[in-house]
Amino acid sequence: MNTIDGLTVHHHRDYTGAKIGMWVFLFTELLLFGGMFILYSVYRTVHAEDFHHAAMELDTLVGTMNTLILLTSSLTMALSIALIQTGRKKSSILCLVLTIAFGLWFMVNKYFEWGAKFEHGLYPGSEFLLQHSQGEILFFGLYFTMTGLHGLHVLVGVGVLSVVGFKMLNKPYEDIVFAGPGVDKLEGAEIALLGKSGQKMWSSEVIDDSVERVSVRLKYRPVGKRVRKEDYALLENSGLYWHLVDIIWIFLFPLFYLIT
Amino acid sequence: MANHAIVGAGAYVDFYKAKRYPGVLSWILSTDHKRIGILYLASMLSFFLVGMSIGFLMRLELIAPGKQLVDPQTYNAFFTLHGVIMIFLFIVPGLSASFGNFFLPIHIGAPDVAFPRLNLLSWWLFIAGGTLAVLSMFTGSGPPDTGWTFYAPYSIRTGTNVILAAFAAFVLGFSSILTGINFLTTVHRMRAPGMGWFRMPLFVWSLYATAWMQVLATPVIGINLLLIISERLFGIGVFDPAKGGDPILYQHLFWIYSHPAVYIMILPGMGAISEIMPVFSRRTIFGYKFIAYSSITIAALGSLVWGHHMFTSGQSYVASTIFSLLTMLVAIPSAVKVFNWIATMYKGSIHIEAPLLFAMSFIFLFSVGGLTGMMIGTLSFDVHVHDTYFIVGHFHYTMFGGMGMAFFAALHYWFPKMFGRMYNKAVAKMAWLMIFVGFNTLYFPMFILGWLGMPRRYYDYLPQYQGGHVVSTIGSWILIAGILIMLSNLIRSLRTGEKADGNPWGGTTLEWTVPSPPPLENFEKIPHVDRDPYDFEGVSAR
């Protein structure tokens, strides 16, 4: 709600609209990775044997651990949303922090996993890798690109969830707007601010039919009861994003680690 | 559209006066869809002028065989940048980001788009992408010389600044996706009461179909460009034949986006033509539902025909045959539109104004482009003219003759609504004539040159091709003169034009029920729609 030269701009909040927008965005993410899955399927068909050999180089233990971590983080994410819907904000934020921690843990594992590969001279364009067959070069090219892009998405997710958590902690304002059919109930009324002894510090003009909307801005520390549907749209949408990141990993894991 | 009474001047504050920040900040920080539409319009036209200047220099270079102005490497950079700028910075955002942003919410009776801040972000990304594209000309190891298609493996090997240009295209793709998401949600969620799906103006239908394609196709080129960048930076090998990679896969992923992208470019143009034809014929649109569905059909079929760019790339004959067949099918919904526009004019009360002239030349030029498209969609013919000037002629007829003419038509149609002033109509018609004549003089010889075997993207040519090239270059002068006259007429009218009232053309859609320029929140009260979009009953003629 902003006031501009006496005009009021109403930024509408539409829960369903926000959800539609997010789902459509998730389609774009699927297609982004879809391009790479096409490359993967073509090259694996052509170089099935090489992919089999190359996959043996990957550490299935770390991969499994990371799968478990991400799955658990999806659970805490879903819990966080379920908790805010029932108004338990503190527990909700706690679950959110856990989700972020799992995400970071995943990245730490990834760091050591990649680091070990680099130490063995196994990275795109390395001399060691170029001595291998074409299928193996392609396998590792795809492995580093796809898990790298996925890791980037995990980092973005961690960033988004942190911002959302911070916003949930500090949500000081609520605008209550009386508009449309509700505003006529206020007709003839007057709004005043009173001092300690009850004296009028400020008062509005009498509300007549020229008034379109009446806006009251409240500052508050949110408590459970005040959390409404609109307030968790943001959390739900970032949750959707997080689940997408999880789902993509669910495909990456078998395609790279378990094809031996 | 309950009543068509126009609120008298002075009774409202137009959106130009409702400012939140001083000066230029009131534009670049505004989340008002109308301001963002105008931001897009201004920035796209600026990029268009840059692209046009490069095109002018290319034509000048080609006026005679051998070196005229620049060396071959610069010429390669010219056609690359001309393509990148025109495609990614002008025709892809096109009518959707400019007029779509301005008119989509008004057309459906909404105060703004669903995500106003995302809308502003998309413009910022657009400018960031544009800046990167321009920077790629002047920094690093020289401007890219790969052609706008960034085909591997050359784009991996060339020493020029491909990374920056490809990243620019990636950022621009992101901007396009955000616009798509925004429009989809807006159409689904923000239609005014009574505005059912089949009461939406056809421009909205075309934007809706376009938005789906923007959302579903753009990510594929996004990942493709990222792969080219990582190929250059890290040598991952997926498109490098030396490492087992397959460049044909690059072409597949590239055209999976870039063929639907030509419909991203043309569909909003077709939408604008569907707005203009009824208004200047004073007759309801012929076959409303067919035009609406044909937009969706074009979007769906257009996503399945990318292989016709690759008939000579070595894909299998079975694939080529199927892609050729599907390509023929796209002609059906396109022809549905063309016949319906012409049928709309039949027995109409036709007013020859600049928007209609541009719209009619759209129909003519797009038909030429579409029919030559049928020719090159035929396998046996394409093998002969592939990578010749025939192709260059074909896509300039569809893209410039199509989207470009529709853009100019829309510009002349909606100018009085957007800026509250009317341009000089006689000058506008003269500019149209020059553009139409210049266009055909410039591009028609290319069909003949291509048929005779002149390859595209060549710096030099055999003397027997010179005749066609000279005619073509002369055409470019006429065309550019026409465009400059048109733009200066419009720019001058911004200040000195006669004041336009709310409905200068006698239009029926919702934007003509509000004053020109529209007020900040578009409507004093969200309208209740109880009539069809092209119902002229009770709308006075102009």
Side-chain angles (χ1 to χ4, degrees), chain B residues 44-53 86 90 400 408 483:
Chain B
M44 277 164 45
L45 281 173
S46 316
F47 287 124
F48 172 77
L49 290 177
V50 176
M52 186 184 82
S53 313
M86 283 304 199
F90 181 63
F400 191 3
F408 297 155
I483 290 172

Side-chain angles (χ1 to χ4, degrees), chain B residues 54-137:
Chain B
I54 298 174
F56 168 75
L57 291 174
M58 277 159 67
R59 277 313 330 159
L60 211 54
E61 168 59 44
L62 290 171
I63 198 166
K67 184 181 167 170
Q68 313 303 319
L69 286 175
V70 294
D71 55 71
Q73 181 60 23
T74 316
Y75 180 80
N76 291 350
F78 273 179
F79 71 66
T80 302
L81 289 164
H82 175 76
V84 168
I85 290 174
M86 283 304 199
I87 297 217
F88 292 112
L89 291 165
F90 181 63
I91 49 181
V92 166
L95 283 90
S96 162
S98 54
F99 301 109
N101 248 321
F102 200 104
F103 288 106
L104 170 81
I106 308 184
H107 268 159
I108 60 170
D112 205 320
V113 290
F115 309 115
R117 281 183 295 181
L118 213 57
N119 204 10
L120 181 63
L121 177 66
S122 88
W123 181 77
W124 275 100
L125 286 175
F126 174 75
I127 289 300
T131 314
L132 287 175
V134 174
L135 271 181
S136 75
M137 292 199 234

Side-chain angles (χ1 to χ4, degrees), chain B residues 284-301:
Chain B
T284 188
I285 190 90
F286 188 88
Y288 172 93
K289 279 197 179 172
F290 270 88
I291 297 186
Y293 285 136
S294 68
S295 292
I296 306 291
T297 319
I298 288 178
L301 284 176

